């Protein structure tokens, strides 16, 4: 799960998906940001609060920057928006790596090119909206690959 800062959207996506795959032996999830600005920080307190409300604890996550080795460590790389997709596509070395990069909302709105809106500069309702979008998208991922 990849966003810009790895303190709002992708930590929420990681936490929501981690809870859903907890019983699945061959799945794992991690998250990263395309910028290093928040590396080492915990998630934004608003992201922690909203996810906690739904029984998801992301408080112990630590932000990190996406590393090109992630292209080899992971089979699927879900990005929050087109800007961050473009950054990863620039980092990719080959078509196999490029093919791993997907907009997460394509899972629920195929062909829409829809972004998960950046909630950083807004209010708590933006985080509620992000939670709902990511909950639906992670359900769709599971349905596609597992059930
Ligand atoms: P995120 O949100 O990409 O969902 O983690 C943001 C976090 C930090 C900044 C922007 C968006 N920032 O500009 O520092």
């Amino acid at each position: 799960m990849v966003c810009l800062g790895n303190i709002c959207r992708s930590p929420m996506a990681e936490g929501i998906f981690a809870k859903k795959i907890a019983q699945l032996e061959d799945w794992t999830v991690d998250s990263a940001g395309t910028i290093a600005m928040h590396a080492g920080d915990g998630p934004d307190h608003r992201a922690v609060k909203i996810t906690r409300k739904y029984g998801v604890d992301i408080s112990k996550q630590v932000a990190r920057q996406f590393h090109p080795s992630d292209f080899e460590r992971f089979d699927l790389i879900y990005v929050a928006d087109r800007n961050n997709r473009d950054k990863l596509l620039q980092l990719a070395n080959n078509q196999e790596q490029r093919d791993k990069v997907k907009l997460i909302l394509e899972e629920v709105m195929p062909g829409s090119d829809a972004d998960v809106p950046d909630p950083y500069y807004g209010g708590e309702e933006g985080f509620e909206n992000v939670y709902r979008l990511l909950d639906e998208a992670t359900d769709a991922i599971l349905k596609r690959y597992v059930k």
Side-chain angles (χ1 to χ4, degrees), residues 3-11 35 37-38 80-81 84 117-121:
C3 64
L4 181 65
N6 193 211
I7 57 169
C8 299
R9 292 165 293 177
S10 61
I35 59 171
M37 191 196 302
H38 295 282
D81 58 35
N84 290 299
D118 183 348
Y120 187 66
Y121 294 105

Side-chain angles (χ1 to χ4, degrees), residues 73 81 124:
R73 287 178 58 208
D81 58 35
E124 276 190 13

Side-chain angles (χ1 to χ4, degrees), residues 116-117 131:
V116 180
Y131 181 90

